[in-house]
Amino acid sequence: MTTAGPLRALTSGSALEVAPALLGAVLSHTTPEGTVSVRLTEVEAYLGVGEDPGSHAHRGPTPRTSPMFGPPGHLYAYFSYGMHVCINVVCSPVGTASAVLLRAGEVVAGLELARLRRGDRVPDRDLARGPARLTVSLGIALDQSGDDLAEPPFDLLLPERPLASATGPRTGVSGVGGGAAYPWRFVLPGETTVSPYRRSPRAVD
């Protein structure tokens, strides 16, 4: 079970520090249907105002992005392409926006429930292989944006020690934020649940 202190201490840092430390962490979410837990294998870091042209917070707070400027260790959820919900762990002190997008992971508990949510023909490897798929498997809703990840119905169990990771440009980000100058995608090498890298056709190096 998450202890709020260590989670707060970790997430009070910049998303660039927090992102690799979240690899191997296990995020759980409980609903009336049951609990699903996902071990994180792929994440991306996003910074704040004026620092990161690929970030939702680059131009300042909006009603949608206000959780990014809120307490660390909380959830930032957003609607992507009008179809999918994606989730982030908020980082940095209150008032300074940064967050870690949870891109992929391995379902390690609640496998049957995750299969029910994603479809019984989906290979187990693909249940949470991608940010929208991960959110669906966990059963997290858009209106949970701003919720505390150290409190029920969430649990975020951090790894005992940092794991070796590989880095590269962020997936699907346009402009310079998706180029080689922002190698802020972190993955666990060799993990089959890591999603394929797809460069945005509008990314600029």
Side-chain angles (χ1 to χ4, degrees):
M1 178 175 289
T2 301
T3 301
L7 179 61
R8 295 283 183 269
L10 173 65
T11 56
S12 291
S14 162
L16 289 176
E17 302 166 350
V18 177
L22 286 178
L23 292 172
V26 176
L27 175 62
S28 301
H29 180 235
T30 300
T31 68
E33 301 167 294
T35 300
V36 173
S37 302
V38 171
R39 175 178 171 265
L40 303 175
T41 60
E42 178 186 358
V43 298
E44 288 179 346
Y46 290 86
L47 298 186
V49 180
E51 298 179 286
D52 180 359
S55 172
H56 292 170
H58 183 58
R59 292 181 174 85
T62 67
R64 180 181 77 158
T65 63
S66 60
M68 285 189 72
F69 294 81
H74 286 231
L75 183 75
Y76 167 49
Y78 65 89
F79 213 33
S80 177
Y81 300 109
M83 297 185 296
H84 308 297
V85 177
C86 299
I87 58 173
N88 301 254
V89 177
V90 175
C91 307
S92 301
V94 173
T96 301
S98 71
V100 176
L101 172 65
L102 308 185
R103 281 203 56 86
E106 174 193 7
V107 177
V108 293
L111 191 57
E112 291 301 323
L113 180 52
R115 287 170 178 160
L116 180 66
R117 288 170 172 163
R118 290 276 292 113
D120 57 10
R121 295 188 178 182
V122 175
D124 289 351
R125 179 197 70 171
D126 293 340
L127 289 173
R129 192 180 187 219
R133 295 173 175 182
L134 181 148
T135 304
V136 171
S137 288
L138 285 165
I140 296 174
L142 182 63
D143 63 6
Q144 292 178 278
S145 191
D147 284 3
D148 191 343
L149 292 171
E151 298 291 339
F154 295 101
D155 187 52
L156 183 56
L157 181 63
L158 301 173
E160 293 182 1
R161 62 187 66 83
L163 304 179
S165 61
T167 65
R170 296 176 295 193
T171 294
V173 177
S174 61
V176 295
Y182 294 85
W184 295 350
R185 176 175 176 254
F186 301 84
V187 305
L188 291 178
E191 291 282 348
T192 60
T193 56
V194 171
S195 68
Y197 169 68
R198 293 188 175 91
R199 178 183 169 93
S200 168
R202 297 188 298 276
V204 177
D205 287 323

